[in-house]
């Protein structure tokens, strides 16, 4: 007779509920897990991480049960993510990997990269306004924001370049003015003896 001992641990981390299972996951235990998640949905939870890394056996209908749970969670605008990389669970879920968000460990779930950040921002916006942003819309907004930011950097670069050119021109003109003033002063010093001898009349415009 097989053992039906399946340990279930539920804990809250940040905005998500972690449901960790350990032991053999048999067909008769599937409805119990489904009822727990549906009850948590009714209480307002929307983000679930189902940690199956500790599962040692998986029966045939368990994946179908988790698929039903996934559909139920998504119908409530929630999200279900799975964590596992052990052989038993990987083999059972292999034909359905494209339907689930699957992570190899808890660090990958909590990090999530750019897409994880987008999902967190989407959840925050949904809680505050009731508006949920789909992934394609979020990606479009991200690319639009990146394009705007790059355009702003390009404009700033052009402005800095123009200011630098104008500063260089102003410095050149100022230097030319200093040189011209020096040349005029030198010429005046040269003609001063001639003016004193009366050979050249003083220029009244200098006074």
């Amino acid at each position: 007779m097989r053992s039906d001992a399946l340990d279930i641990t539920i804990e809250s981390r940040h905005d998500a509920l972690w449901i960790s299972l350990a032991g053999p996951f048999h067909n008769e235990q599937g409805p119990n897990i489904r009822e727990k998640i549906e009850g948590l949905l009714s209480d307002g939870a929307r983000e679930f991480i189902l940690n199956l890394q500790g599962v040692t056996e998986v029966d045939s209908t368990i994946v179908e049960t988790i698929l039903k749970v996934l559909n139920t969670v998504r119908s409530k605008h929630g999200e279900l993510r799975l964590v596992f990389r052990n052989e038993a669970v990987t083999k059972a879920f292999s034909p359905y990997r494209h339907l689930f968000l699957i992570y190899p460990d808890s660090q990958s779930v909590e990090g999530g990269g750019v897409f994880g950040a987008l999902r967190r921002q989407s959840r925050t916006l949904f809680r505050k306004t009731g508006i949920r942003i789909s992934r394609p819309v979020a990606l479009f907004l991200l690319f639009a924001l990146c394009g705007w930011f790059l355009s702003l950097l390009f404009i700033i670069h052009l402005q800095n370049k123009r200011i630098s050119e104008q500063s260089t021109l102003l410095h050149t003109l100022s230097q030319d003015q200093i040189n011209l003033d020096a040349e005029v002063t030198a010429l005046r010093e040269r003609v001063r003896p001639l003016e004193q001898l009366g050979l050249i009349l003083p220029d009244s415009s200098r006074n």
Side-chain angles (χ1 to χ4, degrees), residues 55-119:
V55 172
T56 56
E57 301 175 13
V58 180
D59 280 351
S60 57
T61 63
I62 291 301
V63 178
E64 296 178 7
T65 300
I66 302 302
L67 279 170
K68 293 177 182 178
V69 171
L70 176 65
N71 290 332
T72 302
V73 171
R74 287 182 174 174
S75 70
K76 299 293 185 179
H77 305 292
E79 186 175 272
L80 174 67
R81 287 172 278 176
L82 307 182
V83 179
F84 63 82
R85 59 181 173 184
N86 55 351
E87 183 178 355
V89 181
T90 300
K91 183 178 179 180
F93 280 84
S94 180
Y96 308 94
R97 293 186 67 90
H98 63 287
L99 299 177
F100 294 97
L101 293 173
I102 300 174
Y103 298 82
D105 49 50
S106 59
Q107 290 78 12
S108 300
V109 179
E110 294 173 347
V114 174
F115 292 108
L118 288 175
R119 285 194 294 269

Side-chain angles (χ1 to χ4, degrees), residues 168-185:
T168 301
L169 178 60
L170 180 61
H171 176 74
T172 301
L173 292 175
S174 299
Q175 191 63 43
D176 290 343
Q177 181 65 42
I178 293 173
N179 293 337
L180 287 174
D181 290 342
E183 291 179 2
V184 169
T185 301

